[in-house]
C-alpha cells in the first residue's frame, strides 16, 4: 500500500496539530520529494548521516524532530545545508519535521514517551493549566532513591546521566523536559519538586540545583528525544500500513 506525500502531510498535521503551537521552525513538509510514499525513515535530526542511511534503505520520506530553517539561522543554502538538501532533492525524498508538536504530544511526544520509559505517573504540565507546556511534572508510584533513578535512566536510555545530587534521600515528585530544557529547573525547584530531568546541562544549572536543593539529571539531548520520532513511526505504520524504520544516528550530546 502507498499514499501520497500530501496525504502523509495531512495525516501528520491531524495527529500533531502544529497550527496550535508557536515554534521556532516551520512544522510539516519542509522539503518536497516524490509523490508516492511506500517507506518512511524516522530519526531525531535531519543530519547528513540520517539522510544517507535513508537513501540506502530506499526511503521515500524522512520524518524528524530537528529539521531545518530555524528562526535566526542563515536562509542561504550553502555548505553543510546545501549538501544535506541536495542529497534529499537528488533522491527525491520528502523531509517532514515536527519540533515542539513532537515534544508535547500527550502520547507520542518526547516528554510522554520519556515518562513511559521511566515509569512516571500522574502527568501534568509543570505550569498547571497550560496544555502546550513543554515541561511536565509527575511522580513515581513509590518513592525511589536518587541512585535508583540514576540506574533507571541508565538502563532505559542506555546512557549514564550526569547527576548533581541534592540533600534529599527520596525522590517522589519529578519534573522533566526532553532536549535542551535546563532553563526550566528553577521553575521546578520553586514547586518543591524532588528531581528535574532534561537532556542538556549549562554551567549555571549546577548552581541552581545545589542552591535550590533539587536533584538534577542531564541525560543527553539526543538520548531523551529518540522516542517521539520512534513512536510516531510506529503510529504511522499501524494506522497507514506504511513501512516505517527508526534510524538512531549515535550522538553522545
Ligand atoms: Zn531537541
Amino acid at each position: 500500500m502507498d499514499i501520497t506525500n500530501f496525504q502523509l502531510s495531512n495525516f501528520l498535521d491531524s495527529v500533531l496539530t502544529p497550527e496550535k503551537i508557536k515554534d521556532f521552525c516551520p512544522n510539516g513538509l519542509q522539503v518536497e520529494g516524490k509523490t508516492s510514499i511506500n517507506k518512511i525513515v524516522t530519526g531525531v535530526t535531519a543530519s547528513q548521516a540520517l539522510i544517507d542511511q535513508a537513501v540506502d534503505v530506499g526511503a521515500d520520506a524522512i520524518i524528524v524532530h530537528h529539521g531545518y530553517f530555524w528562526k535566526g539561522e542563515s536562509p542561504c543554502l550553502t555548505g553543510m545545508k546545501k549538501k544535506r538538501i541536495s542529497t534529499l532533492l537528488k533522491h527525491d525524498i520528502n523531509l517532514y519535521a515536527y519540533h515542539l508538536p513532537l515534544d508535547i504530544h500527550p502520547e507520542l511526544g518526547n516528554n510522554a514517551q520519556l515518562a513511559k520509559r521511566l515509569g512516571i505517573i500522574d502527568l501534568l504540565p509543570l505550569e498547571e493549566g497550560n496544555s502546550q507546556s513543554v515541561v511536565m511534572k509527575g511522580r513515581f508510584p513509590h518513592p525511589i532513591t536518587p541512585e535508583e533513578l540514576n540506574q533507571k535512566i541508565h538502563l532505559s536510555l542506555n546512557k549514564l546521566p550526569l547527576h548533581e545530587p541534592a540533600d534529599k534521600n527520596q525522590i517522589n515528585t519529578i519534573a522533566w523536559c526532553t532536549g535542551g530544557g535546563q532553563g526550566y529547573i528553577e521553575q521546578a525547584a520553586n514547586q518543591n519538586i524532588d528531581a528535574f530531568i532534561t537532556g542538556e546541562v549549562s554551567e549555571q544549572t549546577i548552581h541552581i540545583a545545589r542552591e535550590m536543593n533539587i536533584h538534577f539529571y542531564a541525560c543527553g539531548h539526543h538520548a531523551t528525544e529518540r522516542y517521539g520520532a520512534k513512536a510516531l513511526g510506529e503510529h504511522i505504520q499501524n494506522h497507514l500500513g506504511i513501512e516505517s524504520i527508526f534510524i538512531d544516528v549515535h550522538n553522545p550530546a
Side-chain angles (χ1 to χ4, degrees), residues 68-87:
Y68 306 144
F69 315 119
W70 298 91
K71 249 176 217 162
E73 115 182 356
S74 164
C76 301
L77 296 183
T78 55
M80 180 178 89
K81 199 164 160 192
K82 176 244 169 185
K83 197 172 169 228
R84 289 171 170 185
I85 292 176
S86 66
T87 311

Side-chain angles (χ1 to χ4, degrees), residues 22 64 84 116 134 148 157 173 180 182 185-186 194 198 234 238:
K22 231 181 120 207
V64 291
R84 289 171 170 185
K116 199 172 157 187
V134 294
E148 280 168 339
L157 305 187
T173 55
Q182 66 269 48
I185 186 174
E186 223 171 319
D194 301 326
T198 190
E234 287 160 7
N238 293 338

Side-chain angles (χ1 to χ4, degrees), residues 65-66 221 225:
H65 179 50
H66 302 137
H221 192 133
E225 295 201 325

Side-chain angles (χ1 to χ4, degrees), residues 16-129:
L16 297 167
T17 63
E19 72 284 356
K20 292 186 185 160
I21 301 151
K22 231 181 120 207
D23 210 334
F24 317 100
C25 64
N27 287 301
L29 182 59
Q30 289 193 335
V31 179
E32 189 180 339
K34 63 189 76 166
T35 308
S36 174
I37 311 277
N38 287 294
K39 193 187 266 188
I40 294 169
V41 156
T42 60
V44 179
T45 300
S47 62
Q48 190 68 47
L50 183 74
I51 298 168
D52 291 344
Q53 289 188 54
V55 169
D56 288 347
V57 300
D60 306 307
I62 301 175
I63 306 173
V64 291
H65 179 50
H66 302 137
Y68 306 144
F69 315 119
W70 298 91
K71 249 176 217 162
E73 115 182 356
S74 164
C76 301
L77 296 183
T78 55
M80 180 178 89
K81 199 164 160 192
K82 176 244 169 185
K83 197 172 169 228
R84 289 171 170 185
I85 292 176
S86 66
T87 311
L88 288 170
L89 294 175
K90 186 175 156 208
H91 295 275
D92 217 8
I93 297 174
N94 295 275
L95 176 70
Y96 299 84
Y98 289 88
H99 180 234
L100 295 182
L102 194 53
D103 280 322
I104 68 173
H105 188 279
E107 286 158 47
L108 306 172
N110 286 320
N111 277 336
Q113 289 292 321
L114 185 66
K116 199 172 157 187
R117 295 189 85 82
L118 296 178
I120 300 168
I121 58 169
D122 294 344
L123 276 60
L124 279 172
L126 183 62
E127 193 191 327
E128 269 178 56

Side-chain angles (χ1 to χ4, degrees), residues 124-154:
L124 279 172
L126 183 62
E127 193 191 327
E128 269 178 56
N130 176 8
S131 62
Q132 309 291 317
S133 178
V134 294
V135 203
M136 302 296 293
K137 65 180 172 182
R139 67 178 180 89
F140 292 106
H142 310 286
I144 60 173
T145 67
E147 294 71 33
E148 280 168 339
L149 180 53
N150 208 47
Q151 217 169 36
K152 207 188 242 295
I153 293 168
H154 190 184

